[in-house]
Amino acid sequence: MMTRAPPTFRSAARVLCLAVIACVSLPVHAEWVRRIDDGIMGTRITVELWADDKEKGEQAIDAVLDEMRHVDESMSTYKPTSEVSRVNANAAAGPMPITKELFDLLTAAREYSVLTDGAFDITYASVGYMYDFRKHVRPDEAQITKALPAVDYRHVILDAKKQTVRFSQQGVRIDLGGIAKGYSVDRGIDALKARGFTRAYVSAGGDSRIIGDRFGKPWMVGIRDPRKGAGEVITRIPLVDAAISTSGDYERFFEEDGVRYHHIIDPHTGHSASKVRSATVIGPYATRTDGLSKTAFVLGPEKAMEIYNRIDDIDAIIVKLDGTVIYSKGLEKAR
Ligand code: ADP
Ligand code: MG
């Protein structure tokens, strides 16, 4: 006859069993691993992730930084050998075969141009290349007038079947500086997901993306006050599985005779676009939020907010020139 163990023992044994299972399945070294890198794309890159094992976490961060180096190598217009530089040198002469990666990004860029009534336009570079914000150099009116007809996203002709790009006229230049950082963040996140990471934050300059949460709590992302120091924020936004991009007139600029020239160019005038102090866009992935965050500078806060409210998967926060802050409908509801 089987004797039953007294209930107290049974439950004690169960507690012990559970403790053993927990020890086996809950990795003892799990921790947040974080790294900051200032050596790629001329910007600060931050990666933070929850890793079962610190070494695997560090390797994953290496992989994220490799993705960013790759984007820099193929998209930077400062590098004459980059694929984008080769397109700029050759695409006016005829259709040029390009990688699927660049083709897809040019297709996304076109979508953002259409969504923003042409405020986002990678051919801004046809005039934009004459600015050097670090050296305080800008083109004069005659140079702008001469180059301006080449600024129009419709000059970039894409052939999906042949995977080629062609410029419809001479003088057209493209620059993906308006989406490259967001795109590199998305590639970084993809690299982490492929390695099985489910809680992470990746940012490159003003573009960030988050997967998962912080164990039941959202990630809190601060939106900088455009006229105060880097640590001062106007608000903090709780985010889970989302991307966020901020464009600011404080990022790269110089002042001359009281005018602030900064790195977002109005494709219609060829001048620096200064209709807001900053614009933040929240959405599903960072290529998209990066592409859409420049709109408000070109179109102004009201028109831009109208566009942002029309696009289903995004929200926005704009700091107007007078310092007042406006929110898209989705955020107004949440406040
Ligand atoms: P960051 O370079 O820090 O990511 P932004 O996301 O605000 O800053 O992007 C600014 C960059 O966008 C500029 O440096 C330039 O490369 C590019 N750009 C400027 N004007 C336009 C425009 N009208 N359309 C698309 N890209 C632009
Ligand atoms: Mg950006």
Side-chain angles (χ1 to χ4, degrees):
M1 195 180 125
M2 290 226 328
T3 47
R4 292 183 61 171
T8 43
F9 173 74
R10 262 217 340 237
S11 52
R14 240 179 59 215
V15 169
L16 195 69
C17 276
L18 286 176
V20 170
I21 292 167
C23 283
V24 171
S25 60
L26 252 190
V28 257
H29 297 301
E31 60 185 300
W32 290 105
V33 183
R34 186 167 201 262
R35 202 186 308 166
I36 292 175
D37 185 292
D38 284 318
I40 310 169
M41 296 189 293
T43 199
R44 166 157 296 190
I45 291 160
T46 306
V47 185
E48 187 170 357
L49 47 78
W50 178 256
D52 291 347
D53 174 297
K54 185 163 176 21
E55 193 163 326
K56 277 199 196 126
E58 294 289 355
Q59 284 165 1
I61 294 175
D62 288 340
V64 171
L65 297 180
D66 282 348
E67 293 293 338
M68 307 229 162
R69 278 186 206 99
H70 158 76
V71 171
D72 198 21
E73 285 302 318
S74 55
M75 318 258 164
S76 170
T77 49
Y78 295 108
K79 297 184 197 301
T81 54
S82 74
E83 190 175 17
V84 169
S85 292
R86 282 185 282 118
V87 167
N88 279 336
N90 299 313
M96 184 185 157
I98 51 174
T99 56
K100 179 164 188 319
E101 178 179 34
L102 182 57
F103 192 90
D104 289 348
L105 209 50
L106 293 180
T107 307
R110 166 173 282 263
E111 185 202 342
Y112 306 147
S113 295
V114 172
L115 280 176
T116 62
D117 290 348
F120 179 85
D121 189 329
I122 56 173
T123 67
Y124 87 88
S126 313
V127 170
Y129 85 97
M130 291 185 278
Y131 287 86
D132 187 330
F133 296 95
R134 287 196 184 101
K135 293 188 183 143
H136 298 198
V137 173
R138 64 185 174 93
D140 61 29
E141 283 310 311
Q143 287 172 307
I144 292 177
T145 310
K146 187 154 176 265
L148 201 55
V151 179
D152 189 331
Y153 65 93
R154 284 163 286 222
H155 292 326
V156 180
I157 318 279
L158 297 170
D159 183 332
K161 271 201 200 114
K162 294 188 180 139
Q163 207 174 289
T164 58
V165 59
R166 175 171 73 83
F167 294 158
S168 65
Q169 57 175 263
Q170 294 290 332
V172 176
R173 284 169 190 248
I174 57 167
D175 191 309
L176 298 180
I179 44 175
K181 285 177 194 161
Y183 174 66
S184 74
V185 166
D186 286 335
R187 288 209 37 146
I189 288 285
D190 286 347
L192 294 180
K193 281 185 171 174
R195 282 170 175 73
F197 289 87
T198 54
R199 291 189 166 89
Y201 167 92
V202 176
S203 80
D207 303 297
S208 313
R209 185 166 158 197
I210 282 151
I211 46 172
D213 63 3
R214 292 178 74 90
F215 295 98
K217 286 191 197 138
W219 296 77
M220 298 302 290
V221 179
I223 296 176
R224 181 174 153 176
D225 185 321
R227 289 294 176 273
K228 296 211 176 119
E232 304 236 19
V233 299
I234 49 163
T235 181
R236 285 181 204 279
I237 307 282
L239 292 176
V240 174
D241 285 315
I244 181 165
S245 292
T246 297
S247 290
D249 67 358
Y250 48 85
E251 279 295 343
R252 197 169 293 166
F253 71 96
F254 63 92
E255 273 173 339
E256 205 180 286
D257 302 329
V259 180
R260 182 180 283 242
Y261 296 94
H262 76 103
H263 67 156
I264 295 171
I265 307 294
D266 182 339
H268 303 110
T269 65
H271 292 129
S272 176
S274 310
K275 291 186 174 160
V276 296
R277 285 186 186 174
S278 87
T280 297
V281 173
I282 300 163
Y285 53 97
T287 311
R288 192 170 179 82
T289 54
D290 201 6
L292 296 173
S293 67
K294 277 136 285 267
T295 307
F297 287 84
V298 177
L299 299 181
E302 285 78 20
K303 181 84 207 299
M305 201 50 99
E306 215 180 288
I307 289 177
Y308 292 148
N309 277 328
R310 233 188 284 147
I311 304 173
D312 273 348
D313 60 357
I314 66 153
D315 267 300
I317 299 159
I318 297 175
V319 182
K320 300 209 280 186
L321 289 179
D322 63 7
T324 54
V325 185
I326 56 171
Y327 296 83
S328 62
K329 279 189 193 142
L331 291 174
E332 280 291 359
K333 271 187 228 141
R335 269 153 56 84

